[in-house]
Amino acid sequence: MSRLSVYWPDECGTVSKITMEAPVILRFPNSSATAAPPQLDVISRARLLFENRRCRHCSYPVVKPVELDDALVNSSGLEVPGTATLIGFECGSCDATWSI
């Protein structure tokens, strides 16, 4: 782990290094506090996708996840895969839908 040294000008206008006797850990604001809806963690989301990989009604192997339009957006303006809220699944054959 690296150390962060803080520099700032003192009253005389010169730059001085402030040293501390004991190391201090600065806490950054929790980024999860700014997220709007609670989201599944990666492992839970993967388990849900795996458990619902086949249709519950006709056992068709093509099932589409149904997600809300609340995905995070990267700096290019594209949605980050796996960040939208998963609300259910839809069969590609019999059009059956079910929630999680």
Side-chain angles (χ1 to χ4, degrees):
M1 180 161 70
S2 63
R3 294 180 180 240
L4 172 68
S5 299
V6 179
Y7 295 89
W8 68 78
D10 61 1
E11 295 175 4
C12 299
T14 62
V15 176
S16 63
K17 181 179 178 181
I18 304 299
T19 58
M20 299 195 162
E21 325 234 319
V24 176
I25 297 175
L26 301 174
R27 303 251 182 239
F28 291 99
N30 189 356
S31 61
S32 64
T34 58
Q39 295 180 342
L40 295 171
D41 63 345
V42 175
I43 303 295
S44 299
R45 184 180 178 91
R47 283 186 180 138
L48 276 173
L49 292 171
F50 181 77
E51 290 168 357
N52 292 287
R53 66 188 183 274
R54 289 189 166 270
C55 178
R56 292 182 177 181
H57 304 283
C58 67
S59 296
Y60 192 70
V62 179
V63 174
K64 176 185 164 193
V66 179
E67 301 173 331
L68 294 178
D69 191 24
D70 63 349
L72 296 177
V73 179
N74 65 14
S75 60
S76 300
L78 301 173
E79 291 184 357
V80 178
T83 59
T85 305
L86 185 64
I87 58 171
F89 297 92
E90 179 180 355
C91 178
S93 175
C94 68
D95 294 328
T97 58
W98 61 95
S99 63
I100 57 171

